[in-house]
Amino acid sequence: MACAASAAVATVGLAVSPAAAAPATTTQAEPGGACTAADLGTRHPYIKSSEVTPTITHFKGWYVTEGSTGTQSVNTSVQTTISVSVGLTGNVEGSFEFETLGKVGASLGLNVQVNYTSTSSTSTSVTWNFRNPGYYGLYKGTKKVTGTYGSLNCNRVQQGDGSWALKWIEGADTGSYTTFTTLEEGAVRCEDKVPANSIMRKAQDLLDCGSATATAKHPAGPVPSAKAAKAGHEAEKAAKAEKSVKATRSQAPATRAALDCQPAVYKIDVPGKPLNWSAPLLANDGIRLRESNWTSAHLDNWRLCNVTERNGVIEASLWNWGNGGCATVPADIANQEQAYLTTATCGEDDLQRFYIYRDVPGSSKIGVQNKYTGFMVGHDRYADGELIRQYSSGRQDGTGTYTLTGV
């Protein structure tokens, strides 16, 4: 793997003086608020937009005659299925996802789902006391909540007087979320007066109120609704399209002939301690904490390649001198909390791209974030052989702060 230096690539501008990580901050992350070096390896969500949409999940048109009033259990059909998700990975298992959905609920004053779940994808029954004959829509529904989020990351910011400080800034990664409120069920007729933009109104909209069915005599029991059938078909198509998009997001990377690497070589150290990132020799192993010695064979040496910088945040591929591979999160476990990092043949793949958040000049402390997953990089405990892993919110105890030490 050729690794050519280029003067056109922006320099990193990091000092190499080691320093111990500061204690993690106890203040709430807010845009422009102060953070510490221990926060370089963490992130927190903030809600950029929210939309609340009453949604019918199950529906059945039902005709009640004079002789069929009273309590009945009606089996409703699936109209649409809502799954709770946060980000590209579509699952909810890490602290960042929980915090995101918690902030959504708090900002809207709604009790929303904060764990991975979905509305039922099978037919379910609704039990209702029909007191009057007529054409009814039996339904189950909820308020679907969707929107976008951003992340707050700790990074150095230059002040108006030229000095530097660590602040919470808007991170480079953003994403979308979906959740829903408590399920409701009931029955509604065409002639009922219901609040606009309510779940009941959405159910009423699915009744064919303008058809002869609504006014003509009809045998007791189910009544097909063309509107409900059309809406259900469209929801099914949309769900299949979304599933197809997610399935193609982690395709195998295209190979790259060469990287445009900066000439500097670094070790990625635990601040003030001897262990540092060491790339694997075996393909099925991961990047681990190791102590450098004569057997290291450059596996602990890294270069920053294809470097770009936006708003003070570096984006780069991490090329390992020892095995010629690039740091990455394996595609088949990229959606998992605590997935380990490894190296692979360098390619055009966002799983191999990392954002680097830096301490103020004079310090070489950094935090590292995977571009594709948005997860921060850290380790579970300080020990020889410990795997380097990804954590959705980072390691809040400061163990996600590293030192980029020039070799």
Side-chain angles (χ1 to χ4, degrees), residues 81-320:
T81 302
I82 304 171
S83 297
V84 177
S85 65
V86 178
L88 291 175
T89 56
N91 67 334
V92 180
E93 64 176 33
S95 56
F96 183 84
E97 290 88 352
F98 292 129
E99 189 179 355
T100 300
L101 296 176
K103 288 193 172 185
V104 169
S107 64
L108 296 174
L110 295 174
N111 183 21
V112 302
Q113 304 295 321
V114 295
N115 295 298
Y116 177 73
T117 186
S118 68
T119 59
S120 177
S121 58
T122 60
S123 299
T124 61
S125 64
V126 173
T127 300
W128 198 256
N129 183 14
F130 298 98
R131 298 182 179 180
N132 300 298
Y135 180 37
Y136 288 83
L138 278 294
Y139 67 89
K140 287 189 176 182
T142 183
K143 293 178 180 177
K144 182 179 181 180
V145 184
T146 58
T148 58
Y149 65 84
S151 72
L152 294 176
N153 293 75
C154 186
N155 194 56
R156 69 185 191 186
V157 175
Q158 191 164 24
Q159 311 283 66
D161 61 359
S163 64
W164 294 82
L166 285 177
K167 301 283 186 181
W168 291 109
I169 65 165
E170 182 177 349
D173 67 302
T174 60
S176 60
Y177 62 84
T178 299
T179 185
F180 58 91
T181 61
T182 305
L183 284 169
E184 302 177 15
E185 64 178 47
V188 63
R189 300 179 301 172
C190 294
E191 60 268 31
D192 291 337
K193 301 296 183 183
V194 298
N197 202 34
S198 64
I199 296 172
M200 187 177 287
R201 178 57 181 271
K202 288 294 180 181
Q204 192 180 56
D205 290 343
L206 296 180
L207 285 170
D208 292 326
C209 292
S211 68
T213 304
T215 55
K217 290 185 178 180
H218 193 281
V223 181
S225 170
K227 288 183 179 179
K230 181 180 178 182
H233 180 64
E234 290 175 350
E236 185 179 1
K237 283 175 58 179
K240 287 182 178 178
E242 182 179 0
K243 185 177 181 180
S244 175
V245 169
K246 287 182 178 180
T248 59
R249 277 175 175 153
S250 295
Q251 295 178 347
T255 57
R256 177 190 290 144
L259 291 174
D260 195 2
C261 295
Q262 295 184 348
V265 180
Y266 298 98
K267 288 182 180 178
I268 306 176
D269 296 311
V270 176
K273 296 182 179 181
L275 299 182
N276 56 77
W277 290 23
S278 181
L281 277 174
L282 302 176
N284 60 348
D285 197 7
I287 299 171
R288 297 178 182 270
L289 289 178
R290 299 289 189 193
E291 185 170 0
S292 297
N293 54 45
W294 64 275
T295 65
S296 298
H298 293 304
L299 292 172
D300 53 4
N301 288 177
W302 303 85
R303 279 179 171 167
L304 303 185
C305 305
N306 291 3
V307 179
T308 62
E309 184 172 341
R310 183 174 69 88
N311 296 332
V313 179
I314 289 174
E315 179 186 328
S317 297
L318 303 177
W319 179 83
N320 186 262

Side-chain angles (χ1 to χ4, degrees), residues 89 91 93 250 286 328-342 351 372-373 375 387-390:
T89 56
N91 67 334
E93 64 176 33
S250 295
T328 188
V329 181
D332 59 338
I333 58 171
N335 65 334
Q336 296 179 15
E337 184 83 7
Q338 297 191 39
Y340 65 90
L341 269 65
T342 186
L351 282 169
Y372 178 79
T373 66
F375 288 19
L387 283 167
I388 301 300
R389 303 179 183 271
Q390 65 170 9

Side-chain angles (χ1 to χ4, degrees), residues 59-94:
F59 183 85
K60 177 70 74 174
W62 198 258
Y63 207 89
V64 178
T65 64
E66 288 285 357
S68 63
T69 55
T71 301
Q72 298 183 49
S73 290
V74 178
N75 201 36
T76 60
S77 300
V78 177
Q79 191 70 25
T80 186
T81 302
I82 304 171
S83 297
V84 177
S85 65
V86 178
L88 291 175
T89 56
N91 67 334
V92 180
E93 64 176 33

